[in-house]
Amino acid sequence: MRVSCVPRCCVSTACSVHPTEKRNVGEGGENPNLQTPKRSRQLNLLKSLAPPLMAALVAFNPLFTPPVSLGQTIDVQKGASLFNRACIGCHTAGGNIIQPGATLFLKDLQRNGVDTEEEIYRVTYYGKGRMPGFGEECTPRGQCTFGPRLQEDEIKLLAEFVKSQADQGWPDGESGGN
């Protein structure tokens, strides 16, 4: 299509089209395919701002949770499996059927001074109060479980799992820790 335009200073902004061709003119008599310098600057600005705006939208969206790696997923599954094997008898859904004030909910862990992975590890390894220790080198013998012992890396994984669940309010649990 051949378009011949007359400068704005001489006539209106309407462009003339060769009589044998279709007229491709948008609203206001301007060809929508022609970019003015102002429109070009606006498009460039929009293109340059789009990626950081999208990143901010995703990062600050409360519904967005960053994906976890396969290794983290496997560790969580192993931790859950260990918990179901060694702890679920007394600590169903993060509670405590033996001693109600010693649940695995964050408020009880904090009140009892066991709110870090290191402290959870120590209590799981050596025991405390009515809770038996599960570590291979647990002493005194009366404080330790009579059942199978856990290896150090298993107790570490278990402590990470319990801390993670406590921080989340035991999302798969049935009670609220009250």
Side-chain angles (χ1 to χ4, degrees), residues 57-154:
L57 178 67
V58 169
F60 295 117
N61 184 342
L63 301 176
F64 176 76
T65 53
V68 292
S69 71
L70 180 60
Q72 288 172 321
T73 302
I74 291 170
D75 285 350
V76 169
Q77 290 173 345
K78 284 181 181 177
S81 176
L82 280 169
F83 185 84
N84 288 334
R85 187 177 85 212
C87 311
I88 200 82
C90 298
H91 294 287
T92 302
N96 188 332
I97 64 169
I98 306 292
Q99 194 170 349
T103 71
L104 301 179
F105 287 95
L106 192 57
K107 66 178 185 150
D108 284 343
L109 292 174
Q110 289 170 338
R111 187 181 68 242
N112 295 320
V114 191
D115 59 336
T116 64
E117 285 181 26
E118 293 79 17
E119 284 300 309
I120 295 169
Y121 175 92
R122 187 186 57 72
V123 168
T124 305
Y125 195 97
Y126 295 106
K128 181 179 178 183
R130 292 180 170 174
M131 179 173 161
F134 287 85
E136 293 176 310
E137 304 294 323
C138 177
T139 55
R141 195 159 175 78
Q143 181 63 48
C144 306
T145 184
F146 294 107
R149 303 287 176 100
L150 299 174
Q151 297 175 1
E152 287 188 32
D153 61 330
E154 291 176 314

